Amino acid sequence: MTEIVMSQTPPILHGPSEKERKYDRQLRLWAASGQAALESANILLVNSGAGTVGVETLKNLVLPGIGRSAIYDDETVTEADLGVNFFLEESSLGKSRSQNLTELLLELNPEVQGSWYPNEDIKSLESLLSSPSVFTVILYTNPIKPEYLSLLESYSQKHKTPLVAIHSAGFYSYFQINLPGAFPIVDTHPDETATTDLRLLAPWPELVGFAKDLTRDIDNLSDFEHGHLPYVVILLHYLEKWKADHGGSCPSTYKEKTEFRSIVQKAARTDNAEGGEENFDEAAAAVLKTLVVPSLPSGLKEVFEYEHAEPAEQKSGFWLIADAVKKFYEKHQSLPLPGKVPDMKAQSKVYIQLQNIYKAKARQDAAEILETVQATPGGEDIDPAEVDLFCKNAAFVKLINATGGKIKRADRLKEVAAQEAVSDEMAEMTLQPLSLLPIYLALQPTAHVSSGDKISADGILEGVAKLVPGAEENERVVQAAHEVARAEGGELHNVAALVGGMVAQELIKIVTKQYIPIDNTCVFDGINSRTQVLRL
Amino acid sequence: MATDAQVFPASEPARWTYLDKIRTRPGPFTNRDLFEGKNVAENMEKMKVLVIGAGGLGCEILKNLSMSGFKDIHVIDMDTIDLSNLNRQFLFRHADVGKSKAEVAANFVMKRVKGVKITPHNCMIQDFDEDFYMQFQFVVCGLDSIEARRWINATLVNMVDEEIEDSYKPLIDGGTEGFKGQARVILPTVTSCIECQLDMHAPRAAVPLCTLASIPRQPEHCIEWAHVIAWENEKPFPKLDNDDPAHINWLYQKALLRAMEFNISGVTYSLTQGVVKNIIPAIAATNSVIAAACCNEALKIASNCAPCLGFPDNNYMMYSGNDSIYTYTFKHEKKDDCPVCGNLARELAVDPAWTLQELIDSFAARPEAQLKKPSVRAEGRTLYMQFPPSLEQQTRPNLEKKLTDLGLEQGQEIGVTDPAFATVSFKFKLKFTKKT
Ligand SMILES: [Zn+2]
């Protein structure tokens, strides 16, 4: 038989294109769809201060091929720039910083378009922001002029553009992502091991029939067949027996499950050459993980319970599909089947049959949801592929920034400061690392202090007192204020590069709508080499 | 806390003004017993430092060190530039494809940053001896190979001479995979070493041969079959070259036909290449994070302007960017039975019914050993030697003998060497899993 197949016409081979080869290592992370999203993104950096962290961010976006990048920067290049910013050179001295940065960044990838401002045509940030080109994301670095910040904030509100603030001073840094509304992600890339959903407690007729056929005469199967029963089939078989002995109910408590596990383990044949059966080992190992009554995952629950801030939002593909999935869940008390079967010891043919049974059920569930979507006004044109993706990932869908701007930022900061203070008091007992909020607090008062101007630790603490009264007394805040004062607004290249890497990762996640971005502030402590994400 | 303390500027004060404010003045966390601001800039300019790897991490490390005030940097890399490097290795351009990574990277940084000298070595780390490594103040590693890491780790630990302070060479090591990575500092013989931490990087479990040969279920099984079995049987080219598209194409085609035969879907050219070359996804952003975390430690080690990882406690930072951002910075404990830096023999669970061959094969798969060409000695007797050929031939008959027939007993110590770690003898203590 092998001969016959081998003599068929070989498939047409097309190796990867030059571009696919160049981007190979990243396409393995976000695929062609992510790459396309990246290539249609248009990003603006409003650069100020020592000016490195934003540029390091752009480097990490130009390399993977972001569509367009623009830099707005008023400064001219100084000696100090050359000591911290790698994308400037001797000949840049005294010239426009935005132009020189742009030119040296664009060298990294000829496929990226870039522009710099102010230039002869567009002389101010205001006129840049009123030009017809719409930005996908805007980054700015502190210290920023207050009037620039208000221009950016109103642009961000008007165009619903994510706005990212970055501050890097000495060993300390933070960045904060302001998303224009609730930000749902479907393609969250959960760990493979987390995604197994076999529905063993609620199998559908095709699966039940398949398992029955294979185990009807289980004791008389040859050693080979017995040793190659897929563990899914083994578990279904012994679950049936268990149910017969337990009034129709499945093992539910931990004790029952371990009892069930030893029943499965003991059913393995040991009088064979190997002295055991791998497939039964796999089955026993899967008992605790797979015999779980499904509950609604927290991410999806948040989606189901979300109240739309504005009616327009409701009409997007994501929300239409989410509504249909919710209806499906209410009707069936289960989510659409993802349809993936993990690898397990089995004969090829049997495994493929099993795989097809799961795939068919997944397709059926997705078709039901698609039908609901299409029956909803506005849902006629939804791409079935979008529905499929949602169904495959339903358990891992995530909503970022769900509470949006419902609480005023100033109040939230006080609230979080109180929480962090409490958890710091317990830190010795809980063995949790100490809060990095003091770093964020100490950087805040310098958000608009230009790099040349010194600000003392006392000056910083006065600023902290205005944000969170009482925090200026906290010893760790005092230390952080001194550390910030030591930098005098200057950047360390390493810290800028490190945070530039993190911000770039986050922007890639936001632009590709893959993986899960932070919600919403990340603080980095370069003295202890660690981060903390806070919702501020 | 004297934030008004004096700044001691470097040779070009205006250029390094931001850096000097930090590295020459103490902050609230600076250890005053170790720190002397006055000499920092000058000392750092004189330090000779070594970078291993000029790839994704290496390019970033060279940039970061030269932007941190180091002026005498050596870099070792034997690789040449490939098109697939250009999405992250930002010191290379399309026209550089095929040239030496070490040389192109060194030249680029020297051209960009005035006053820095970078000496490239287009060769393997194993080409140098201890005298070479002794000249550096510390080593920063950006490698994708666990073997090379273990070799340099063992070499640096071995170089420690308690009498000579200058023989302690800190090793700063970074690694990435996709959105994840880690940065760690190893102070040889003081902190846990790479060998102590080996089980944190367990090798991927191999697919059993019988699955490949007779019951494939996944596209990867078909590709491995083409790679391991079909290639050996048919030898379409004299030697498999993973970088030759014609070779990958041949494997792809074989794998695809096998997948069709078994109704398995999902074999693609890209997957074939990924499986055969064991490709790890890599992006600029993660390299930027990890390389900078390493160089941040380098600056702290060189200047003492802030405490570094490894001293006194935490020595390891794990980073993950898949789901939000999560870092875990902790102390990885030194192991007394570490074959490189410990002095106790490590327990080794073995079945006494095994043959010596089975014992030797097991070393490759054990997360705590990962030795591919082990030679074994016990109580001064050579049980099996891989090299030289004459000794191999002489000891080969032992491979078929059972451990107990070779006189090995419960609790016995054996010594294992491997050509990948010339200087190290791994000590193991046998622990029988069954009664003899
Ligand atoms: Zn060790």
Side-chain angles (χ1 to χ4, degrees):
Chain A
M1 193 187 108
T2 311
E3 272 70 9
I4 301 167
V5 176
M6 286 304 199
S7 65
Q8 283 175 354
T9 327
I12 301 163
L13 299 177
H14 45 92
S17 67
E18 164 119 354
K19 194 169 144 189
E20 283 166 331
R21 281 166 57 210
K22 175 169 138 187
Y23 291 142
D24 179 81
R25 300 302 185 268
Q26 69 201 45
L27 290 170
R28 291 173 192 275
L29 288 174
W30 53 67
S33 60
Q35 188 62 28
L38 205 57
E39 286 172 18
S40 46
N42 182 11
I43 186 164
L44 168 65
L45 165 67
V46 178
N47 205 36
S48 7
T52 309
V53 67
V55 175
E56 286 290 317
T57 307
L58 283 192
K59 172 202 73 193
N60 298 322
L61 294 171
V62 167
L63 284 163
I66 191 123
R68 301 173 59 84
S69 90
I71 300 178
Y72 185 93
D73 190 334
D74 290 322
E75 304 288 333
T76 51
V77 179
T78 64
E79 276 279 336
D81 285 321
L82 299 190
V84 71
N85 205 321
F86 188 78
F87 295 95
L88 294 170
E89 52 195 358
E90 301 297 320
S91 63
S92 312
L93 278 170
K95 295 181 185 157
S96 149
R97 197 161 76 172
S98 65
Q99 180 183 0
N100 281 262
L101 287 172
T102 304
E103 285 168 2
L104 292 189
L105 278 174
L106 290 183
E107 270 183 12
L108 306 185
N109 192 344
E111 279 158 85
V112 176
Q113 309 264 323
S115 49
W116 51 273
Y117 310 94
N119 61 29
E120 299 233 310
D121 302 320
I122 295 179
K123 294 190 169 64
S124 69
L125 182 60
E126 196 167 9
S127 54
L128 172 61
L129 294 178
S130 53
S131 70
S133 104
V134 174
F135 298 106
T136 321
V137 190
I138 298 179
L139 307 176
Y140 69 86
T141 56
N142 281 339
I144 187 172
K145 292 178 187 163
E147 59 270 28
Y148 281 8
L149 182 55
S150 54
L151 281 173
L152 293 178
E153 281 173 341
S154 57
Y155 180 95
S156 158
Q157 260 172 11
K158 183 173 159 206
H159 295 276
K160 301 215 165 298
T161 311
L163 185 61
V164 182
I166 324 176
H167 197 158
S168 170
F171 284 114
Y172 287 165
S173 180
Y174 78 85
F175 65 96
Q176 189 163 62
I177 301 177
N178 295 285
L179 293 166
F183 189 83
I185 306 156
V186 176
D187 200 359
T188 49
H189 293 260
D191 276 347
E192 287 244 347
T193 47
T195 57
T196 307
D197 180 0
L198 297 170
R199 302 289 162 91
L200 298 182
L201 295 178
W204 58 100
E206 289 80 2
L207 180 59
V208 172
F210 178 73
K212 278 214 173 108
D213 281 348
L214 285 175
T215 52
R216 184 158 292 130
D217 203 11
I218 188 163
D219 294 331
N220 294 317
L221 292 176
S222 70
D223 276 356
F224 180 80
E225 284 170 323
H226 196 263
H228 285 81
L229 285 172
Y231 80 69
V232 168
V233 169
I234 296 173
L235 290 177
L236 285 169
H237 174 73
Y238 289 99
L239 275 173
E240 278 307 309
K241 289 186 115 178
W242 174 281
K243 282 199 277 188
D245 297 342
H246 293 79
S249 55
C250 291
S252 61
T253 63
Y254 181 77
K255 194 170 160 265
E256 284 173 342
K257 283 179 197 173
T258 47
E259 197 185 325
F260 178 71
R261 186 173 58 188
S262 55
I263 292 174
V264 171
Q265 189 69 72
K266 278 186 195 129
R269 293 184 187 172
T270 51
D271 54 353
N272 51 8
E274 294 82 25
E277 288 177 309
E278 242 179 277
N279 54 337
F280 277 78
D281 294 342
E282 288 179 355
V287 166
L288 293 179
K289 269 183 293 178
T290 53
L291 300 193
V292 181
V293 181
S295 59
L296 192 56
S298 62
L300 194 58
K301 186 159 184 273
E302 203 169 5
V303 169
F304 285 174
E305 288 168 359
Y306 178 74
E307 283 170 33
H308 292 280
E310 40 194 305
E313 191 181 62
Q314 219 162 338
K315 297 283 168 226
S316 78
F318 173 86
W319 290 107
L320 289 171
I321 300 169
D323 276 347
V325 172
K326 190 178 173 185
K327 284 188 187 128
F328 182 98
Y329 183 77
E330 281 160 0
K331 184 173 162 199
H332 301 282
Q333 292 305 306
S334 70
L335 291 174
L337 184 75
K340 231 182 125 202
V341 183
D343 191 36
M344 58 189 73
K345 187 158 193 200
Q347 296 183 65
S348 307
K349 206 174 128 203
V350 173
Y351 178 80
I352 302 294
Q353 282 170 342
L354 183 68
Q355 217 179 22
N356 286 338
I357 288 169
Y358 275 87
K359 277 187 195 161
K361 176 74 165 88
R363 269 198 300 271
Q364 189 191 329
D365 287 357
E368 186 180 329
I369 287 164
L370 179 62
E371 206 175 308
T372 315
V373 171
Q374 285 175 335
T376 319
E380 306 84 355
D381 304 324
I382 297 291
D383 184 355
E386 206 183 335
V387 174
D388 281 345
L389 184 69
F390 199 120
C391 292
K392 279 202 182 74
N393 286 288
F396 301 94
V397 165
K398 184 94 183 171
L399 195 58
I400 298 292
N401 195 37
T403 50
K406 279 177 193 147
I407 309 166
K408 271 208 336 225
R409 172 148 292 161
D411 295 336
R412 200 156 57 201
L413 181 60
K414 288 185 190 115
E415 210 175 282
V416 173
Q419 288 163 6
E420 293 295 299
V422 171
S423 76
D424 272 6
E425 273 169 33
M426 320 238 291
E428 227 168 301
M429 216 170 62
T430 57
L431 298 176
Q432 290 300 307
L434 292 168
S435 175
L436 298 186
L437 188 70
I439 293 176
Y440 177 84
L441 292 176
L443 284 169
Q444 281 300 296
T446 66
H448 305 297
V449 179
S450 67
S451 304
D453 300 338
K454 258 192 186 176
I455 178 166
S456 70
D458 289 343
I460 291 170
L461 290 170
E462 270 170 46
V464 171
K466 283 181 203 145
L467 293 169
V468 182
E472 76 282 4
E473 310 274 343
N474 180 312
E475 192 204 332
R476 296 188 60 241
V477 176
V478 175
Q479 285 178 321
H482 280 273
E483 189 58 50
V484 170
R486 164 155 81 149
E488 290 177 26
E491 285 180 299
L492 283 178
H493 181 83
N494 294 324
V495 175
L498 197 157
V499 175
M502 293 200 285
V503 177
Q505 281 197 347
E506 293 307 304
L507 294 183
I508 288 167
K509 293 190 244 175
I510 288 171
V511 166
T512 62
K513 297 200 168 66
Q514 293 187 42
Y515 302 90
I516 304 174
I518 62 160
D519 193 8
N520 56 10
T521 306
C522 176
V523 186
F524 174 69
D525 173 3
I527 289 178
N528 294 300
S529 201
R530 63 189 181 94
T531 60
Q532 185 182 14
V533 173
L534 292 161
R535 168 128 185 103
L536 295 174
Chain B
M1 280 173 265
T3 27
D4 288 326
Q6 194 188 342
V7 175
F8 298 96
S11 49
E12 302 147 293
R15 180 158 305 200
W16 302 104
T17 172
Y18 299 140
L19 180 63
D20 287 341
K21 279 171 187 159
I22 302 279
R23 68 171 165 172
T24 72
R25 295 195 295 182
F29 306 100
T30 308
N31 182 339
R32 299 296 193 94
D33 295 338
L34 300 174
F35 179 76
E36 178 138 38
K38 201 170 79 174
N39 304 324
V40 165
E42 201 191 328
N43 282 348
M44 283 179 63
E45 287 180 8
K46 280 194 222 143
M47 277 183 190
K48 214 182 234 192
V49 304
L50 176 64
V51 177
I52 301 181
L57 285 167
C59 284
E60 287 279 346
I61 292 168
L62 289 172
K63 165 187 69 109
N64 295 344
L65 291 179
S66 36
M67 299 307 289
S68 298
F70 295 100
K71 301 220 181 268
D72 190 353
I73 306 169
H74 285 236
V75 57
I76 308 178
D77 197 317
M78 63 174 296
D79 272 357
T80 53
I81 297 159
D82 181 77
L83 183 59
S84 67
N85 299 147
L86 300 185
N87 81 323
R88 61 197 186 282
Q89 301 180 14
F90 66 97
L91 302 175
F92 310 142
R93 303 290 171 262
H94 203 284
D96 298 324
V97 169
K99 296 182 192 163
S100 149
K101 284 188 177 180
E103 282 163 20
V104 175
N107 286 334
F108 190 102
V109 176
M110 281 198 282
K111 206 170 133 234
R112 180 63 57 85
V113 184
K114 195 177 78 179
V116 65
K117 187 178 112 202
I118 302 184
T119 312
H121 302 279
N122 182 15
C123 61
M124 306 204 310
I125 52 173
Q126 291 86 350
D127 292 345
F128 294 108
D129 58 12
E130 290 192 0
D131 288 345
F132 173 82
Y133 292 106
M134 198 59 93
Q135 64 181 312
F136 301 104
Q137 244 64 50
F138 59 82
V139 178
V140 191
C141 245
L143 287 161
D144 51 13
S145 132
I146 184 77
E147 257 90 65
R149 277 194 183 97
R150 291 172 72 185
W151 188 90
I152 189 70
N153 175 64
T155 303
L156 295 181
V157 172
N158 244 359
M159 273 162 55
V160 170
D161 179 342
E162 281 174 35
E163 314 274 287
I164 307 167
E165 199 190 328
D166 198 37
S167 69
Y168 291 85
K169 310 291 180 189
L171 171 62
I172 309 167
D173 177 71
T176 75
E177 174 168 3
F179 286 90
K180 300 178 180 176
Q182 80 278 337
R184 49 188 166 173
V185 172
I186 288 116
L187 306 174
T189 72
V190 177
T191 66
S192 99
C193 78
I194 286 187
E195 205 68 31
C196 295
Q197 299 168 13
L198 200 59
D199 52 4
M200 312 236 345
H201 306 267
R204 237 186 330 157
V207 182
L209 209 59
C210 66
T211 299
L212 300 185
S214 55
I215 46 164
R217 299 172 299 267
Q218 305 295 338
E220 290 84 355
H221 298 165
C222 302
I223 294 165
E224 279 294 356
W225 172 83
H227 185 197
V228 178
I229 297 172
W231 183 279
E232 284 309 312
N233 287 344
E234 300 184 32
K235 287 264 183 216
F237 301 92
K239 197 180 178 304
L240 178 61
D241 175 3
N242 287 341
D243 291 320
D244 188 334
H247 295 194
I248 298 289
N249 245 333
W250 188 91
L251 294 173
Y252 167 48
Q253 194 167 352
K254 281 284 167 197
L256 201 54
L257 285 168
R258 185 161 176 87
M260 283 163 64
E261 185 188 344
F262 287 94
N263 281 316
I264 295 167
S265 57
V267 171
T268 60
Y269 183 93
S270 165
L271 185 68
T272 307
Q273 201 190 18
V275 170
V276 173
K277 293 178 70 171
N278 189 21
I279 291 177
I280 294 163
I283 56 172
T286 316
N287 285 321
S288 191
V289 172
I290 298 300
C294 291
C295 295
N296 186 40
E297 297 310 316
L299 171 65
K300 293 190 285 185
I301 288 172
S303 68
N304 284 317
C305 73
C308 67
L309 284 184
F311 193 78
D313 279 323
N314 296 342
N315 52 12
Y316 198 115
M317 180 188 82
M318 250 169 51
Y319 177 91
S320 173
N322 281 41
D323 179 352
S324 184
I325 290 175
Y326 174 73
T327 53
Y328 179 49
T329 306
F330 66 102
K331 179 178 190 178
H332 190 285
E333 297 285 350
K334 195 167 181 294
K335 291 187 178 150
D336 290 337
D337 62 353
C338 169
V340 170
C341 76
N343 34 33
L344 296 179
R346 179 169 285 185
E347 270 197 353
L348 188 76
V350 296
D351 183 338
W354 275 359
T355 61
L356 184 60
Q357 180 74 59
E358 282 173 302
L359 175 70
I360 282 184
D361 291 346
S362 79
F363 282 115
R366 286 171 194 269
E368 76 279 16
Q370 301 181 38
L371 300 170
K372 292 189 179 135
K373 287 193 168 168
S375 299
V376 181
R377 298 165 60 83
E379 286 187 338
R381 279 190 304 142
T382 298
L383 297 181
Y384 180 68
M385 284 296 276
Q386 304 260 4
F387 302 98
S390 60
L391 210 52
E392 196 279 331
Q393 214 174 357
Q394 211 180 314
T395 52
R396 199 185 302 160
N398 282 346
L399 289 176
E400 285 166 26
K401 294 187 188 152
K402 285 194 171 180
L403 298 183
T404 43
D405 294 343
L406 285 165
L408 293 174
E409 291 167 2
Q410 168 81 345
Q412 182 154 16
E413 224 176 274
I414 58 168
V416 181
T417 53
D418 187 296
F421 310 96
T423 52
V424 191
S425 173
F426 295 81
K427 276 182 284 183
F428 291 104
K429 200 161 88 183
L430 297 182
K431 186 187 163 203
F432 287 162
T433 52
K434 290 186 187 141
K435 289 233 167 75
T436 47

